[in-house]
Amino acid sequence: MTDAARVLEVLYDSDHVFCSLPDLCSRCGVSRKRLMAAIEVLGHEGQLVELSPHGARLKAPAALNAQLIERGLKNRRVGGSVLCFSQVGSTNDVAFDAAQRAECDGLAVFAERQTSGRGRFGRQWVSEPGANMLASVLLIDESIPHDAVTIASGLAVAEAVENSAGVHCRLKWPNDVLIGDAKVAGVLVETRKVNRRRCLVIGIGINVNASPQADSLRRPATSIAQHVEHVPRRIEIARELLSRLDHWVGVIEAGRLDDIHGPWLDHCDMINSRVGITCSGRQYVGRVLDIDPTRGLCLSLDSGQNVFLPASFSTMDA
């Protein structure tokens, strides 16, 4: 491990509290000169280290860092390797590019900024640089069902926010994560053939410290920071996100799709509500009977007919 990596771990674990320089040198096993050189390296990597007579501390929020995200993870598949970038066009595209190599299955890609981030149906995903969570996970898999992954990914995001930040989330069909009535996160699952292999990329955007301006949105948005008293720790949210995704992907692989049903409904209050849904260009209006991760949303239309609408081609009308 490099000097910079050791210093970063100690500063991060200090939770933004000042560490005296002699203590830092001792805990990292470096001289004062090497310590200062390591702090300079961290600055080049996007980590802001504040120096004062009290010592040094890592300014919040800490930059996304693969070393910190991977540390201690015991996931089976998702997050086996992590890449973090200061800027990309789209994390989904980076993940698909990595799919050229079969060993990249489970790769997680994070970025501080996207220049071409996208949501469902070609919408732009707006995020302030360095403030939020922009991530994609690659699955190279011939059989894993697209819609089940979409539903499970939204649930994983909700659980990750709750477990790491203590904020309760709601789920809105098919892929929106809400705090109250405002959107805090979204999921975009894309499928492509790469080298004749079927690849799914789970794209996730979470408003951690900032939400888009109201005039850039079709619906209200919020951030985790608006609902907690402390600065949310993006590293911990990332780690919990990969853990919950790994869990639910394993559930889907094992064919236990019914296991998703209860936890998803526990985060959703749409049952028996009257909604409008557009699916494959057609609008459906009716009462929600059920949300089944194996089939889709079951809607009782005003005509009395029941229809199932798959997650892949559905969006809630605003």
Side-chain angles (χ1 to χ4, degrees):
M1 184 182 295
T2 65
D3 289 349
R6 289 191 190 92
V7 172
L8 176 60
E9 286 194 353
V10 172
L11 289 176
Y12 181 79
D13 291 342
S14 298
D15 198 14
H16 311 297
V17 175
F18 278 106
C19 295
S20 71
L21 299 188
D23 184 45
L24 263 179
C25 290
S26 175
R27 294 170 66 182
C28 298
V30 297
S31 65
R32 176 71 172 260
K33 181 177 180 180
R34 286 171 58 186
L35 173 65
M36 300 312 294
I39 289 175
E40 183 175 355
V41 170
L42 292 178
H44 293 313
E45 295 176 354
Q47 303 289 355
L48 299 178
V49 179
E50 181 182 357
L51 293 171
S52 84
H54 302 289
R57 69 175 177 182
L58 197 62
K59 286 189 174 182
L64 295 171
N65 177 272
Q67 166 199 343
L68 294 178
I69 294 173
E70 291 179 341
R71 187 174 54 156
L73 275 184
K74 297 179 180 179
N75 292 0
R76 182 189 57 86
R77 182 177 184 182
V78 173
S81 57
V82 175
L83 296 176
C84 294
F85 296 91
S86 58
Q87 178 176 305
V88 297
S90 161
T91 56
N92 271 26
D93 290 342
V94 173
F96 276 121
D97 287 344
Q100 300 286 342
R101 302 179 298 280
E103 64 272 17
C104 286
D105 176 67
L107 171 71
V109 179
F110 294 85
E112 298 286 3
R113 181 173 185 264
Q114 292 184 123
T115 57
S116 304
R118 58 185 179 271
R120 283 163 59 87
F121 306 107
R123 297 170 185 158
Q124 182 183 13
W125 184 266
V126 180
S127 178
E128 183 177 317
N132 297 320
M133 183 79 63
L134 306 170
S136 295
V137 169
L138 169 66
L139 300 176
I140 302 175
D141 199 303
E142 293 297 330
S143 60
I144 194 166
H146 184 286
D147 286 353
V149 170
T150 296
I151 296 299
S153 297
L155 176 58
V157 172
E159 292 176 333
V161 172
E162 291 173 347
N163 294 346
S164 58
V167 181
H168 178 68
C169 293
R170 296 172 49 234
L171 291 168
K172 183 177 181 181
W173 176 263
N175 67 330
D176 287 348
V177 182
L178 312 178
I179 298 176
D181 293 323
K183 183 172 179 178
V184 73
V187 174
L188 170 67
V189 179
E190 296 182 304
T191 305
R192 298 179 192 172
K193 282 284 188 178
V194 180
N195 288 346
R196 300 183 180 179
R197 295 189 297 264
R198 178 175 177 264
C199 300
L200 285 80
V201 168
I202 306 165
I204 295 168
I206 305 175
N207 298 331
V208 180
N209 290 295
S211 57
Q213 295 295 320
D215 58 6
S216 67
L217 301 170
R218 298 176 62 218
R219 65 187 65 177
T222 189
S223 67
I224 296 172
Q226 292 175 251
H227 302 271
V228 296
E229 295 180 355
H230 56 279
V231 177
R233 305 190 80 186
R234 293 189 302 161
I235 299 294
E236 302 311 309
I237 297 171
R239 289 168 53 80
E240 191 65 26
L241 173 63
L242 296 182
S243 292
R244 298 315 300 159
L245 276 174
D246 189 65
H247 169 76
W248 289 117
V249 167
V251 167
I252 295 170
E253 287 177 310
R256 305 196 323 268
L257 298 185
D258 287 345
D259 289 0
I260 305 172
H261 191 220
W264 208 95
L265 289 183
D266 287 344
H267 288 81
C268 175
D269 55 10
M270 291 171 58
I271 303 301
N272 290 322
S273 63
R274 182 177 170 80
V275 299
I277 296 176
T278 297
C279 183
S280 299
R282 179 180 173 185
Q283 186 182 52
Y284 298 84
V285 178
R287 181 171 59 88
V288 178
L289 297 179
D290 195 10
I291 295 173
D292 184 344
T294 66
R295 301 177 69 181
L297 181 142
C298 180
L299 195 67
S300 176
L301 302 181
D302 293 345
S303 64
Q305 178 188 6
N306 292 346
V307 296
F308 282 94
L309 306 177
S312 307
F313 305 103
S314 302
T315 180
M316 290 285 294
D317 295 340

